[in-house]
Amino acid sequence: MADHQHPSQLLASFAANLHYEQIPDAVRMRTEDLFLDWIGSALAGRTSRAVQTIDRYAQTMGPGGGPCDVLISRRTTTPLFAAMVNAAASHVAEQDDVHNGSVFHPGAVVFPAALAVAQSIGASGRDLLTAAVAGYEVGIRVGEFLGRSHYRIFHTTGTAGTLAAAAAAGHLLKLTPDQMLHAFGSAGTQAAGLWEFLRDAADSKQLHTAAAAANGLTSAYLAQDGFTGARRILEGAQGMAAGMSSDADPARLTDRLGERWALAETSFKFHASCRHTHPAADALQQVMRTHGLQPEQIVRVVAHVHQGAIDVLGAVVDPQTVHQAKFSMGTVLGLIAHYDVAGLTQFEDSFNAAPIAAFRGKVGMEFDDEVDTAYPARWIGKVTVETTDGRRLTGRVDEPKGDPGNTLSRPELEQKALRLALFGEAASEAEMHALAKRVWNLADAPRVGNLFA
């Protein structure tokens, strides 16, 4: 295959050459939905200690003014530091979007970079939406390319997310296909993010998204100025797949480019926890509602899960922080059993309360061949519940709430964004309703200005 036709080049050309008119109407609308959902998640992160630490770092290192919004504080700064803080903020509440097949959270890295560049250059709403689509399409395909073996050790949002941010920023900067390829090279060589932080309840997850957005943006600006990067950073002999995967599939990088819109496959997160907990949470919710169960009637809950859930959640047996609790299957199912919801308030108030801690000891995870075979394309939820009166009840959900086939409507998304903003005490109800109207009409905006101006 000629060099200009290799997968990285084809993907870079797609990201550079994408036009708004090529994007189907349903995908454009979905992009607006995802943008509002991301804003809500960013606002919810305002009070997080880890996010505030990154924000203070940005204030120390960056200028105190500029064209770009820092959403959690309403201050402005340069594109680099705005992207960094907004990315960190949007990935802490565990309410940001997720693409099942790539096990990747696109919004937390694509929108921070795209919004920052768009505001800095005076881009239009259509420009921003198109750039976001380019970022989602690239990041999702890179995540799928790197495969399940990659995700076992690496946080895909930190790795594939760096290239997704580069694609979004590079599209707005009007990089040529060759420049975009160099941006990918620079982004890929900086891509990082390891799951070990979960064992220590460390803050690294917010650093993963902050670095991915900032490094992707940096890679695009460098490429615009002639800086070169590896041309085969993804599939090359010493590229990302060689060092980070044992089951990489280069065909996934160019899977039906321009025909299959992977962005439209992205799911919204309903529960405020790691996505791996959602299928079992929905299945337990189904059992509780169907049989009118109370938590004290439950002796044991088994969540039948895929291996990826065991890899990520298995290390968290005694969560010490709110964020770590979001990766505890026992905590999430305990909140569902007691409150019928595992939301931000429930985690903040009750993640380690005595009834939840006691319920946590009743929950186990077991590998399930059917669930694992379907994953990651489908995230099936299955639970078995044993009760005090000897019953053995089962629950099953084939599409968790928020998946494309069980999605959130625009009113539901607006209410979710409002709840997130109010939780973070970052915007008023009136401001959020006004912002939602702006987002639903983003395609008509001649210029992306400050979001709360």
Side-chain angles (χ1 to χ4, degrees):
M1 184 177 290
D3 184 69
H4 72 279
Q5 294 178 313
H6 68 79
S8 292
Q9 178 70 71
L10 289 171
L11 191 60
S13 295
F14 172 83
N17 292 330
L18 182 65
H19 293 290
Y20 179 81
E21 292 73 20
Q22 296 173 293
I23 304 169
D25 289 343
V27 178
R28 297 174 191 169
M29 291 184 64
R30 186 74 164 186
T31 310
E32 294 170 351
D33 294 349
L34 292 164
F35 184 43
L36 180 65
D37 194 62
W38 169 77
I39 293 170
S41 286
L43 295 173
R46 189 186 72 83
T47 58
S48 162
R49 177 191 52 77
V51 172
Q52 291 176 350
T53 301
I54 291 175
D55 188 32
R56 285 194 297 272
Y57 167 79
Q59 292 181 58
T60 299
M61 296 295 175
C68 307
D69 284 332
V70 176
L71 294 177
I72 61 170
S73 64
R74 308 283 182 97
R75 69 184 181 88
T76 59
T77 186
T78 61
L80 178 69
F81 290 103
M84 178 184 293
V85 178
N86 288 335
S90 61
H91 200 48
V92 69
E94 294 295 332
Q95 291 268 257
D96 51 312
D97 62 28
V98 61
H99 181 267
N100 288 348
S102 56
V103 201
F104 166 53
H105 300 273
V109 289
V110 170
F111 283 119
L115 177 63
V117 176
Q119 289 180 327
S120 70
I121 65 174
S124 69
R126 291 190 176 197
D127 293 336
L128 173 60
L129 292 171
T130 307
V133 174
Y136 270 70
E137 298 299 320
V138 167
I140 288 169
R141 286 174 170 81
V142 172
E144 291 176 333
F145 155 73
L146 291 170
R148 292 181 63 169
S149 66
H150 177 80
Y151 186 78
R152 189 173 67 85
I153 302 295
F154 292 95
H155 182 201
T156 308
T157 305
T159 55
T162 313
L163 284 101
H171 183 87
L172 282 161
L173 295 176
K174 302 189 186 310
L175 299 189
T176 67
D178 203 50
Q179 288 174 323
M180 185 70 81
L181 185 61
H182 288 306
F184 284 6
S186 293
T189 206
Q190 299 178 86
L194 297 164
W195 282 117
E196 183 63 20
F197 74 88
L198 277 176
R199 300 177 188 275
D200 305 306
D203 298 328
S204 306
K205 201 164 190 271
Q206 282 66 67
L207 182 59
H208 293 175
T209 51
N215 290 343
L217 182 149
T218 296
S219 298
Y221 275 96
L222 290 173
Q224 184 187 45
D225 198 33
F227 197 87
T228 63
R231 300 181 67 85
R232 293 178 182 263
I233 197 65
L234 294 167
E235 74 277 30
Q238 292 178 294
M240 289 179 70
M244 297 177 163
S245 176
S246 61
D247 62 345
D249 180 5
R252 302 307 297 269
L253 292 171
T254 56
D255 177 30
R256 291 165 288 157
L257 276 172
E259 298 175 12
R260 169 213 176 195
W261 296 94
L263 177 146
E265 303 163 2
T266 305
S267 300
F268 299 101
K269 290 179 73 175
F270 189 69
H271 305 296
S273 59
C274 173
R275 182 63 170 177
H276 291 295
T277 67
H278 289 208
D282 284 6
L284 178 60
Q285 190 180 60
Q286 178 192 87
V287 172
M288 301 287 294
R289 292 175 176 178
T290 300
H291 298 279
L293 290 183
Q294 297 300 313
E296 56 269 19
Q297 294 176 272
I298 295 175
V299 175
R300 175 77 172 159
V301 179
V302 175
H304 304 278
V305 299
H306 52 267
Q307 185 61 46
I310 295 172
D311 292 340
V312 172
L313 307 177
V316 185
V317 294
D318 184 21
Q320 298 301 303
T321 67
V322 170
H323 192 253
Q324 192 184 34
K326 294 170 183 281
F327 292 81
S328 162
M329 182 68 85
T331 302
V332 174
L333 297 192
L335 293 175
I336 290 292
H338 284 81
Y339 302 110
D340 193 46
V341 64
L344 293 171
T345 301
Q346 288 73 34
F347 274 104
E348 289 287 335
D349 294 344
S350 305
F351 88 89
N352 218 13
I356 304 303
F359 195 94
R360 193 156 54 223
K362 302 177 182 181
V363 175
M365 291 188 293
E366 290 184 4
F367 176 86
D368 185 282
D369 188 66
E370 180 197 11
V371 174
D372 190 70
T373 299
Y375 172 83
R378 296 171 58 221
W379 294 41
I380 299 172
K382 294 167 66 175
V383 296
T384 300
V385 179
E386 299 175 15
T387 65
T388 52
D389 58 4
R391 286 179 292 169
R392 187 178 176 89
L393 308 173
T394 60
R396 179 188 178 108
V397 172
D398 286 299
E399 284 195 279
K401 180 69 172 175
D403 268 10
N406 188 16
T407 194
L408 302 181
S409 65
R410 283 201 160 179
E412 287 177 313
L413 286 169
E414 190 168 339
Q415 283 303 307
K416 177 188 171 184
L418 174 61
R419 288 195 304 272
L420 291 168
L422 294 178
F423 175 85
E425 300 179 349
S428 68
E429 183 171 354
E431 285 178 321
M432 289 306 295
H433 287 310
L435 179 62
K437 290 180 181 178
R438 289 186 62 187
V439 172
W440 303 148
N441 294 285
L442 188 59
D444 298 324
R447 183 184 179 94
V448 178
N450 297 108
L451 295 186
F452 289 103

